[in-house]
Amino acid sequence: MKRIISNTLLSVLLLGLVSSCASQTDSDTDSETTSAPETTTAETESRLFSDTLSPVDIGGADFTILTINELSGTTLPTTLNYAESETGEVVNDTLFARDRWLEETYNVNVEYILADESSAAFASQLVGSVMAGDYYYDACIMDVAVIAKTMLLNNCSYPINYIDTINIDADYWMPELNADMYIGDGLYFSASAISPRYYGSVYIYMFNTEMAEELQLENMYDLVKDGKWTLDKMFELSRAAVNDTDGNTIIDGNDRIGQLSDCVEGLIYSSGYKVLKNDGGELVCQLKDERLIELCQKIAAFFMEDGIFDTTTKIFDSGAVLNNGNTLFYTPVTFNLADYRDLGWDYGILPFPKQNEAQEEYICYSQPWATATVVVPITLTGEALDRAGTLIDAMAAYGYDYVRPAVYENVLQMKGARDEESAEIIDLIFDNVTFELTVMLGGDSLNNLINNYFKHQLGEIDIVSSYAAIESQVEADIDATVSSITEFAATLK
C-alpha cells in the first residue's frame, strides 16, 4: 500500500506525532530500457551480494519508509526512490522489483509515505515527531543536506553503524567512501546504492564537441586518459573559446563563452582538498592551509574573467545558453544527463579536472542536495530496530546488485552519454567520488563564507581576512556540533 501525503496533510498527522535545472520529458518513461541484470550463470550469481544474505521471517509486519521522488520539482529516473508500479523504465521497474523481492524474501509488507518536498519546515516536523516519541515510519530515504542534516543535528537519528543487523563493512555499503563520513565513531550520512540518487548526484564537466572541433582544440578524452586534464588545461581551453560574437564588447549569453559552472567550489574538492576535513572522527576547518587558500584564490580569479561564469553571477539565461550551445563547458549533476540527451548539439563528458599532473586520480564531488541517504529515527528500539536494520541492509545489497547497474549502465551510460568514450569516462568518474561536510556540519558562518566567496560575492571579498573574522565562531560551532553528536551517540550504545 502506498500513502501519498501532502505537506498540509502530513503537518496534521505530525501535530499529534511530530540546484538543478532539469525538466521531465516525455521520453523519461520510454521503452529505451533494458531489464535488470541476468543471473543465469554461476559466475554471475556468485557476484550477487543479495544472494549471500541470510533472510529472516519478519512475520508479515509492515516496513514503512518515508521518501520523495522529485528533486526541485523534477522527476527523472535518477531522482526516484520508490516505484508504485512497473512502467517500462528500467530504474523505476528495478525499484519496484526490489520491494517485491523484499516482501517475498523476508515476509514483510513494504509501505511508503511520499512527501512532496524536502524543506526546512518539513525537516522540523520530522524532528518534532521523534522528540515527541511518536512512531510512524521505520526509515527515511531523503536528501543529506536538509532532512538527514536536521535529524542529526537534533539528535533524532541513529548512527547507522550502531544497528547490529546492518553489515556496514560489507562492500555493498561502499566502506571506502563512508570512511570519511564518520563523526566520532558514528556514521550518519552513509553512501549506498539503496537510492539511485547516489549515481545522480555527482558533478561532471560537459563539453561542446562541435565547438571544440570548430576551434580545433585538443582531444579532451586523450587529455583525461593521459592524466593531463588539469585546472590549468581547463583554464586554457575555456579562454580559447571566449569570443564576443556580436561585437558589443560585452561577453554574455549571446556570445561564445568559455564556461558556465554550477559548482565552482567543486574544483577545490576535485583537487584533493576539503574545507571541512574529517580527521579520525573530528572535524577540522582547513582554511588556514596556505595551499588551499592559494587554490581558492586561483579558482576565484579565473571565474572573474570575461566569458567565464558561475550560474549565480551570470547576467543571462543559462537555459538559453545551453539550448543554443553557446558554452564550451558546463558542469551539471549526473541526474541531469537523463534529460540532456535531447539537446540540439553534441556533447562529451569529462570528470572534474585534477589540480595538476602530479595528482594521481580524478576526483568528483557528490552534492548533498541530490544525494539521498538512509536515516533511522531513534524512536525505533528492540526488535523494530533490528528488523529495520535487516531490511535496510538487504536493500543496500540488492541495490548494489541491481539498482546500481540500472542507473549507472542504462541511464547514465546509455542515455546520458552520447559516445563510447563518454561512457568510459562515466566509469572513471565513479571510481573516486568525494563528499564535503561543510554544508551539513560547518555551521552558517563557514557555509556562508564558501557560498559568498565562490558565488554571491565573487571577487568582492578576501578569503583570508573573511575567515580570520569568523574563525573563532567557526571553531566554536564545529566543536559544539561534534560534542553534541558524540555525547548523544554514547547514550545509544
Side-chain angles (χ1 to χ4, degrees):
M1 180 179 69
K2 180 186 71 167
R3 291 177 284 162
I4 301 180
I5 300 184
S6 68
N7 279 343
T8 303
L9 180 56
L10 187 55
S11 298
V12 173
L13 291 175
L14 293 174
L15 285 177
L17 309 172
V18 222
S19 273
S20 300
C21 62
S23 61
Q24 185 177 15
T25 66
D26 292 338
S27 59
D28 288 336
T29 56
D30 63 19
S31 61
E32 186 184 338
T33 61
T34 61
S35 60
E38 295 290 335
T39 59
T40 54
T41 68
E43 180 182 359
T44 302
E45 291 177 350
S46 67
R47 297 200 311 266
L48 296 177
F49 290 116
S50 53
D51 286 346
T52 68
L53 303 178
S54 300
V56 297
D57 189 335
I58 302 298
D62 290 339
F63 179 52
T64 305
I65 301 170
L66 172 66
T67 194
I68 191 168
N69 267 357
E70 67 175 35
L71 182 61
S72 300
T74 296
T75 303
L76 291 167
T78 41
T79 70
L80 299 177
N81 287 313
Y82 161 76
E84 180 178 8
S85 62
E86 293 179 304
T87 64
E89 198 289 317
V90 66
V91 177
N92 178 92
D93 291 358
T94 303
L95 291 173
F96 184 81
R98 176 197 65 192
D99 294 338
R100 306 294 75 76
W101 173 80
L102 277 177
E103 290 180 331
E104 295 171 5
T105 305
Y106 291 87
N107 187 20
V108 64
N109 178 42
V110 180
E111 190 174 88
Y112 282 86
I113 300 173
L114 290 187
D116 59 7
E117 70 170 353
S118 170
S119 66
F122 182 69
S124 179
Q125 292 172 349
L126 297 183
V127 167
S129 169
V130 174
M131 287 185 170
D134 294 314
Y135 169 91
Y136 79 101
Y137 68 95
D138 301 289
C140 173
I141 304 175
M142 297 282 276
D143 67 276
V144 171
V146 179
I147 302 300
K149 167 188 174 179
T150 304
M151 293 284 281
L152 170 60
L153 294 182
N154 286 278
N155 295 326
C156 291
S157 56
Y158 272 103
I160 200 164
N161 59 307
Y162 279 26
I163 303 173
D164 292 338
T165 48
I166 291 180
N167 303 308
I168 199 63
D169 294 327
D171 286 342
Y172 51 82
W173 278 104
M174 306 178 191
E176 291 184 0
L177 183 56
N178 284 325
D180 286 336
M181 303 298 287
Y182 279 79
I183 301 121
D185 66 351
L187 178 63
Y188 301 87
F189 305 130
S190 56
S192 73
I194 289 176
S195 168
R197 294 194 185 195
Y198 168 71
Y199 297 97
S201 66
V202 177
Y203 281 105
I204 58 172
Y205 261 73
M206 281 172 54
F207 73 96
N208 188 324
T209 57
E210 297 173 16
M211 186 183 297
E213 183 176 349
E214 176 188 346
L215 296 174
Q216 297 183 344
L217 301 179
E218 297 169 72
N219 185 303
M220 298 192 197
Y221 296 129
D222 287 344
L223 288 173
V224 173
K225 294 173 184 176
D226 294 340
K228 296 180 178 180
W229 172 236
T230 63
L231 274 177
D232 287 341
K233 179 57 67 174
M234 181 270 287
F235 292 169
E236 174 191 330
L237 296 175
S238 297
R239 290 166 180 148
V242 177
N243 191 335
D244 181 15
T245 53
D246 60 12
N248 67 352
T249 72
I250 299 174
I251 306 295
D252 58 25
N254 296 316
D255 299 304
R256 193 174 66 204
I257 67 175
Q259 182 164 166
L260 179 62
S261 177
D262 203 32
C263 186
V264 176
E265 67 274 21
L267 293 168
I268 297 173
Y269 315 134
S270 69
S271 297
Y273 289 89
K274 303 276 192 182
V275 172
L276 192 59
K277 183 179 180 180
N278 185 323
D279 185 6
E282 295 295 322
L283 303 181
V284 181
C285 181
Q286 301 294 296
L287 285 183
K288 297 186 77 173
D289 184 322
E290 292 184 1
R291 295 169 300 174
L292 175 56
I293 292 298
E294 290 176 0
L295 177 63
C296 290
Q297 293 169 336
K298 178 178 180 177
I299 293 168
F302 169 70
F303 278 92
M304 291 170 61
E305 296 180 14
D306 286 343
I308 311 298
F309 296 95
D310 172 78
T311 52
T312 305
T313 58
K314 62 181 171 51
I315 53 175
F316 48 78
D317 179 5
S318 58
V321 168
L322 281 178
N323 288 331
N324 295 330
N326 286 359
T327 182
L328 176 62
F329 292 120
Y330 177 56
T331 61
V333 179
T334 42
F335 90 81
N336 297 122
L337 291 178
D339 212 34
Y340 286 162
R341 59 181 176 174
D342 295 325
L343 286 176
W345 47 276
D346 287 333
Y347 63 84
I349 297 170
L350 306 172
F352 262 53
K354 299 190 295 184
Q355 182 181 13
N356 50 49
E357 292 186 36
Q359 183 176 320
E360 293 184 2
E361 298 177 300
Y362 294 99
I363 304 170
C364 289
Y365 168 52
S366 177
Q367 64 111 309
W369 293 275
T371 305
T373 192
V374 176
V375 178
V376 179
I378 59 169
T379 45
L380 264 64
T381 59
E383 290 184 7
L385 180 61
D386 288 341
R387 180 171 65 238
T390 296
L391 296 171
I392 290 168
D393 192 64
M395 292 175 76
Y398 188 97
Y400 198 91
D401 291 340
Y402 297 111
V403 177
R404 177 183 60 88
V407 182
Y408 182 75
E409 298 170 10
N410 293 289
V411 175
L412 297 184
Q413 288 188 328
M414 189 175 75
K415 291 185 179 181
R418 294 192 173 193
D419 55 67
E420 185 175 335
E421 289 176 299
S422 283
E424 292 175 359
I425 295 294
I426 292 289
D427 282 329
L428 184 151
I429 286 169
F430 283 98
D431 281 345
N432 205 353
V433 174
T434 190
F435 292 105
E436 167 62 41
L437 292 168
T438 296
V439 172
M440 290 80 78
L441 302 174
D444 291 341
S445 297
L446 182 60
N447 194 34
N448 289 339
L449 172 58
I450 297 301
N451 282 331
N452 289 336
Y453 186 74
F454 288 112
K455 297 181 186 297
H456 308 296
Q457 295 177 273
L458 181 66
E460 299 177 15
I461 60 176
D462 173 67
I463 194 167
V464 176
S465 59
S466 295
Y467 180 64
I470 64 171
E471 182 179 357
S472 59
Q473 182 63 55
V474 169
E475 291 181 348
D477 288 345
I478 294 172
D479 288 345
T481 296
V482 172
S483 294
S484 174
I485 293 171
T486 54
E487 289 172 9
F488 182 75
T491 69
L492 299 175
K493 290 183 176 180

